[in-house]
Amino acid sequence: MRFYKFICVLFTGIGVTNFYGQSKISCDLVGISNIAFEKNPTIKRSAYSIKSAEADFQIQRSVFDVNLFSELAVKTNRYTLFAEDPRNQFMDKVLKTNTLDFSAGLRKRLRTGQITDISLKYGFNNNNFPYDSFNQYVGAFWGNHVSSVNLSLTQPLLRGRGKDVTTISERISQLYIENSRSSNEFTNSNTILQIGQAYWNYYLAYKSLEIYKQNEGRVRNVLDVTKELIKADKKPAGDLAQVNADLANQEKFTALAEQNLYEARINLGRAIGLSNEESLQLDLPANDFPTIPESEYRSGLDKMAFIRIAKEKRSDLKAVGKISDALEMQYRLAENNTKPQLDLTGFVFYGSAIAGNGIDKTFSSFTNNEGRNLGAGAKLTFTFPVNNNLAKGNYAKDLASLNDQKISNENLQRNIELNISNAINKLDNSVIVLERAKEALDSYKDAFNNEQIKLQSGLTTILNVILFQERLTSSELEYLQAYQQFANAIISLRHETGTLISQGDKGFTLNQNVFYTIPNIANY
């Protein structure tokens, strides 16, 4: 029985351990970036903008849909005759008429600009007057059937003429789809940039906490040494108060570092798109800061080469390029709409008629030789608003939008060049700062170790040891911050050149190298 309980407790413990182990979210750069592609609200909303643009394209395509139409009208009428009407001798003063009209057809606008219209019409009527239109006695409610088939083709001669004008709205919508896709790519890149910066901040907070804990341990070590020196009458008892005060101060800094780590974890989860509970499940950072040799950095980077890469790869540049093309087309359409509407319509028609009752007469009305009507014709339709303010206003508005977009495009290219120049300068300076911070750290480590040796020999004061210990801690933190600036400079240069993420068949992808290496000018 005891063995059975032992087995149950063992497996329960293993299950609980596995549960909590599985609930942790691995915190490596590529993994959290892939999570963001699925969960980040900004990325998800950006994807919906593509669907909206595709819906707009479908709306524009509807102009060329086949439109079916039909109408059925049934009417009965009772008309009271005048007393002098000779038809009173054949009816009881009331002319009763029944009418049925049916029409059906289809209409379609062709991509070449023409409008086709095919329609079929059928009409039936009878009344209680016993004579037909030829004054022949046929009896009351003798039916008259009339049917016709019409075909017309309308060709715009001025406004709306030609395939280029007719399909221009459809092609504009296609450009906006491409624009939304490029904008979505830039949004994804910007989100990954924010995630990278948040991750390096999280890693900085994690490593800073380690430094503060190590510093707290050094102070405790100094406290132990001080106590031994006091026992040996090599230091006054008053020195103990200084060390205790410094220890309390370092414990305060450790508590603040723990708070910073918590905030950095939450902010990283926010950037990824995680909830509060999910953010708290983020594991410790798995990726270290990039090193200078690993980054493939070299002095004297070719700024113009990176600008050329940006002009080729930046998705926001591609997006505004599509907008410019769309506005150019919109301007041409507005220019065409200032013209008068002059349409030439050609038509042919066929019809026939028959009299009598019975369903067979309905179908015979299409084929009866007597009463057949066949013809063709043409008409010219002219429409033009006298002031034409609507067309002129749209033309002026589209011209202003086009010129404004040109300025916006030039401004974007100008800012990209400035941002790349700034990013390269920031990268260069971060390398210098990192190298100097490493030199300073090594020197402060040697100085602090020397002060500890002097303290044990009674050759220095506790105050000097505390001072050098604080300088060592500051140097360690500055060295970490220099690494963070270097890491941020790499991903900023990647983002500015459009090489942070890649578009694949299954969506956006990235690899760890984009966080650790600068863009390769020869192969990007």
Side-chain angles (χ1 to χ4, degrees):
M1 186 68 179
R2 289 180 179 177
F3 177 75
Y4 175 75
K5 289 182 178 179
F6 172 77
I7 294 296
C8 290
V9 171
L10 177 64
F11 277 99
T12 302
I14 293 174
V16 171
T17 302
N18 288 338
F19 172 78
Y20 284 103
Q22 291 174 356
S23 63
K24 286 289 184 181
I25 299 176
S26 177
C27 193
D28 67 280
L29 283 163
V30 175
I32 60 177
S33 298
N34 288 330
I35 293 174
F37 286 139
E38 297 179 0
K39 303 199 68 170
N40 185 273
T42 303
I43 291 177
K44 292 168 70 175
R45 290 186 63 192
S46 181
Y48 279 114
S49 67
I50 300 176
K51 295 184 180 297
S52 178
E54 290 173 343
D56 288 337
F57 173 68
Q58 187 174 12
I59 291 172
Q60 294 302 327
R61 290 187 63 186
S62 67
V63 175
F64 306 104
D65 288 347
V66 175
N67 293 301
L68 300 176
F69 58 90
S70 63
E71 181 180 356
L72 176 64
V74 178
K75 183 174 69 173
T76 182
N77 185 41
R78 297 173 62 87
Y79 174 71
T80 303
L81 301 175
F82 287 94
E84 294 79 5
D85 195 320
R87 290 176 294 179
N88 280 319
Q89 58 182 315
F90 304 106
M91 299 178 295
D92 188 17
K93 298 184 179 181
V94 177
L95 178 64
K96 301 176 182 178
T97 305
N98 301 309
T99 305
L100 181 146
D101 291 303
F102 172 77
S103 63
L106 61 88
R107 185 178 295 112
K108 178 177 174 57
R109 179 183 291 273
L110 305 178
R111 295 181 186 276
T112 51
Q114 296 88 358
I115 300 173
T116 59
D117 193 317
I118 302 174
S119 62
L120 178 148
K121 294 181 180 180
Y122 168 75
F124 168 81
N125 69 82
N126 63 19
N127 55 56
N128 60 339
F129 186 64
Y131 290 86
D132 61 14
S133 56
F134 303 107
N135 206 27
Q136 295 179 336
Y137 182 81
V138 292
F141 297 106
W142 183 250
N144 295 286
H145 306 261
V146 178
S147 61
S148 64
V149 177
N150 301 275
L151 171 64
S152 67
L153 180 67
T154 301
Q155 170 65 58
L157 300 178
L158 293 175
R159 184 191 301 178
R161 179 180 180 179
K163 183 178 181 180
D164 182 65
V165 173
T166 306
T167 61
I168 200 166
S169 295
E170 186 180 33
R171 288 182 284 124
I172 288 173
S173 296
Q174 288 176 322
L175 288 172
Y176 276 109
I177 292 176
E178 296 174 20
N179 162 70
S180 60
R181 287 172 178 167
S182 296
S183 297
N184 179 54
E185 182 179 346
F186 185 74
T187 299
N188 278 260
S189 178
N190 190 58
T191 301
I192 297 302
L193 171 65
Q194 295 175 15
I195 290 172
Q197 292 172 339
Y199 175 85
W200 293 132
N201 190 55
Y202 179 46
Y203 184 74
L204 174 68
Y206 169 66
K207 299 300 288 186
S208 297
L209 178 59
E210 285 187 350
I211 290 173
Y212 281 115
K213 287 182 177 179
Q214 291 171 4
N215 186 44
E216 188 178 324
R218 286 195 296 264
V219 175
R220 293 183 187 279
N221 184 54
V222 172
L223 179 62
D224 293 338
V225 172
T226 303
K227 288 179 179 178
E228 293 297 327
L229 291 174
I230 291 173
K231 287 180 182 180
D233 292 329
K234 293 183 178 181
K235 290 292 178 183
D239 286 353
L240 196 60
Q242 291 180 346
V243 181
N244 283 327
D246 188 44
L247 178 59
N249 196 44
Q250 298 308 319
E251 289 174 343
K252 178 192 71 174
F253 287 139
T254 301
L256 290 174
E258 290 175 344
Q259 178 183 339
N260 289 337
L261 179 62
Y262 182 90
E263 291 178 357
R265 178 185 280 115
I266 291 296
N267 288 333
L268 176 58
R270 188 199 316 274
I272 297 170
L274 302 178
S275 65
N276 179 63
E277 292 75 13
E278 292 170 329
S279 299
L280 293 175
Q281 292 302 319
L282 283 171
D283 208 344
L284 297 178
N287 302 109
D288 297 330
F289 283 128
T291 63
I292 295 176
E294 184 181 16
S295 69
E296 300 179 1
Y297 169 82
R298 59 201 175 278
S299 60
L301 293 174
D302 187 354
K303 180 175 66 176
M304 295 308 300
F306 286 104
I307 291 175
R308 285 195 297 271
I309 294 174
K311 289 183 177 180
E312 181 178 341
K313 300 287 290 184
R314 283 276 296 235
S315 52
D316 57 337
L317 269 179
K318 298 176 183 177
V320 297
K322 298 301 179 183
I323 291 179
S324 296
D325 293 342
L327 290 175
E328 180 70 35
M329 290 184 180
Q330 190 70 42
Y331 167 72
R332 295 206 310 268
L333 179 61
E335 185 179 32
N336 179 265
N337 287 337
T338 60
K339 298 177 181 179
Q341 185 78 46
L342 181 63
D343 296 340
L344 176 63
T345 302
F347 55 89
V348 294
F349 57 90
Y350 166 82
S352 185
I354 195 171
N357 294 329
I359 191 65
D360 60 312
K361 301 296 183 181
T362 300
F363 298 102
S364 298
S365 64
F366 289 97
T367 59
N368 190 36
N369 287 328
E370 296 180 353
R372 177 175 295 178
N373 184 22
L374 180 64
K379 68 176 180 178
L380 198 61
T381 305
F382 178 81
T383 305
F384 186 70
V386 176
N387 295 323
N388 206 20
N389 285 323
L390 177 62
K392 290 179 180 178
N394 285 330
Y395 174 77
K397 185 176 179 180
D398 289 338
L399 178 60
S401 297
L402 180 61
N403 291 329
D404 177 70
Q405 188 61 43
K406 289 178 180 178
I407 297 173
S408 177
N409 293 0
E410 293 171 358
N411 187 51
L412 176 60
Q413 293 192 28
R414 181 180 66 89
N415 279 297
I416 287 175
E417 293 177 5
L418 293 172
N419 290 343
I420 290 177
S421 178
N422 189 43
I424 292 176
N425 182 68
K426 184 177 180 181
L427 180 62
D428 290 336
N429 286 336
S430 68
V431 171
I432 295 173
V433 171
L434 182 58
E435 291 173 342
R436 297 299 177 266
K438 181 65 169 64
E439 294 174 4
L441 177 60
D442 293 338
S443 298
Y444 277 119
K445 283 182 179 179
D446 293 339
F448 177 71
N449 291 334
N450 291 334
E451 286 299 311
Q452 283 186 310
I453 295 173
K454 290 180 182 179
L455 178 64
Q456 293 174 353
S457 303
L459 299 177
T460 190
T461 64
I462 294 296
L463 186 60
N464 279 343
V465 174
I466 293 174
L467 179 62
F468 277 97
Q469 169 261 318
E470 288 177 351
R471 289 178 178 176
L472 175 60
T473 301
S474 297
S475 181
E476 289 176 325
L477 293 173
E478 289 172 358
Y479 182 55
L480 272 181
Q481 291 168 358
Y483 251 131
Q484 182 194 26
Q485 292 172 3
F486 177 63
N488 284 337
I490 291 175
I491 57 176
S492 293
L493 183 58
R494 282 279 185 179
H495 174 68
E496 293 297 340
T497 54
T499 56
L500 186 55
I501 62 174
S502 301
Q503 175 74 64
D505 295 335
K506 297 182 179 180
F508 295 105
T509 60
L510 52 78
N511 56 57
Q512 189 168 306
N513 287 337
V514 300
F515 298 100
Y516 282 84
T517 62
I518 64 174
N520 187 338
I521 297 176
N523 182 21
Y524 52 87

